[in-house]
């Protein structure tokens, strides 16, 4: 259930499924759904999740996505280079399988659905292992906010359709602590889609739209 294609996630699943199927004498029909980052039902499920919060209570909305090594993102392109592909601003023929481009598009669509102005939200990346991962880094962004007068932040993490350590602990506890230590007053997290009715319906619509 990865909304955005990445070789480390969706690609690895495809590889293992193909490996196991190759052992069968009779291989059944099957379909892969590579990604659904812009599916209207997926976007709407996040809009519904956000309704638990009053967006006017926050100075900034942060869309924090799981990071990836830049080298993996670059391999999507024939010239092995993500830079210069306008990934922060549009989806095009070159970048529609680029993780960076698709997470920016998801953020834009959710923000538009919630009437969040472009200058009120930002996209960042968490859970990095080295500095050669996608930037900006969520922890650095959050630590910088109080010095800019941004004291109240609401965080989305749309790469995860179910809450996990990266959302509950990393964002809900660790990032909240570092934000407050830097002078922030309030950091809230939009719970993931989990088993919400809107997400269950979205899964049905996504599957039907992709396999029929």
């Amino acid at each position: 259930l990865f909304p955005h294609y990445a070789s480390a996630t969706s690609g690895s699943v495809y590889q293992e499924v193909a490996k196991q199927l190759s052992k069968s004498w009779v291989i059944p029909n099957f379909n892969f759904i590579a990604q659904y980052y812009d599916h209207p039902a997926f976007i709407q499920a996040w809009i519904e999740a956000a309704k638990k919060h009053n967006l006017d209570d926050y100075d900034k909305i942060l869309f924090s996505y799981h990071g990836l090594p830049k080298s993996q993102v670059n391999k999507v392109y024939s010239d092995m280079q993500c830079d210069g592909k306008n990934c922060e601003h549009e989806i095009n023929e070159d970048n529609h399988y680029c993780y960076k481009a698709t997470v920016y598009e998801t953020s834009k669509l959710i923000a538009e659905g919630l009437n969040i102005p472009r200058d009120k939200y930002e996209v960042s990346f968490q859970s990095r292992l080295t500095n050669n991962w996608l930037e900006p880094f969520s922890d650095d962004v959050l630590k910088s906010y109080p010095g800019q007068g941004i004291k109240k932040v609401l965080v989305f993490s749309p790469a995860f359709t179910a809450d996990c350590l990266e959302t509950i602990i990393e964002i809900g506890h660790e990032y909240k602590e570092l934000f407050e230590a830097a002078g922030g007053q309030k950091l809230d997290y939009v719970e993931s889609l989990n088993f919400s009715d809107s997400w269950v319906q979205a899964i049905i619509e996504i599957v039907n739209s992709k396999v029929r």
Side-chain angles (χ1 to χ4, degrees), residues 44-115:
Q44 186 59 39
W46 276 106
I47 291 171
E48 293 298 323
K51 289 182 178 179
K52 298 177 183 178
H53 303 270
N54 182 356
L55 301 185
D56 292 333
D57 289 344
Y58 302 93
D59 303 318
K60 201 79 168 182
I61 310 298
L62 183 65
F63 290 93
S64 179
Y65 293 87
H66 198 290
L68 279 179
K70 293 177 182 177
S71 59
Q72 287 191 19
V73 178
N74 287 337
K75 289 179 181 178
V76 171
Y77 299 96
S78 58
D79 62 358
M80 304 291 284
Q81 186 59 252
C82 176
D83 291 344
K85 301 299 191 301
N86 212 26
C87 294
E88 297 90 342
H89 305 291
E90 68 174 8
I91 295 292
N92 54 52
E93 290 186 5
D94 289 331
N95 69 15
H96 67 282
Y97 276 109
C98 173
Y99 181 79
K100 181 179 179 180
T102 58
V103 302
Y104 270 91
E105 183 70 8
T106 294
S107 303
K108 184 188 78 171
L109 294 172
I110 295 173
E112 288 176 349
L114 291 168
N115 296 313

Side-chain angles (χ1 to χ4, degrees), residues 118-177:
R118 184 60 186 91
D119 61 356
K120 191 175 179 177
Y121 77 87
E122 188 169 0
V123 176
S124 62
F125 301 91
Q126 64 184 81
S127 309
R128 73 181 186 274
L129 296 181
T130 74
N131 286 334
N132 292 319
W133 285 42
L134 289 174
E135 299 178 73
F137 303 132
S138 298
D139 53 350
D140 289 344
V141 169
L142 286 168
K143 286 186 288 186
S144 74
Y145 277 164
Q148 303 172 44
I150 299 171
K151 300 297 183 73
K152 299 177 182 179
V153 177
L154 180 64
V155 182
F156 286 77
S157 193
F160 299 101
T161 56
D163 280 313
C164 55
L165 290 175
E166 285 90 344
T167 60
I168 297 171
I169 303 301
E170 188 172 9
I171 296 175
H173 294 285
E174 295 176 0
Y175 284 1
K176 183 175 182 178
E177 289 177 1

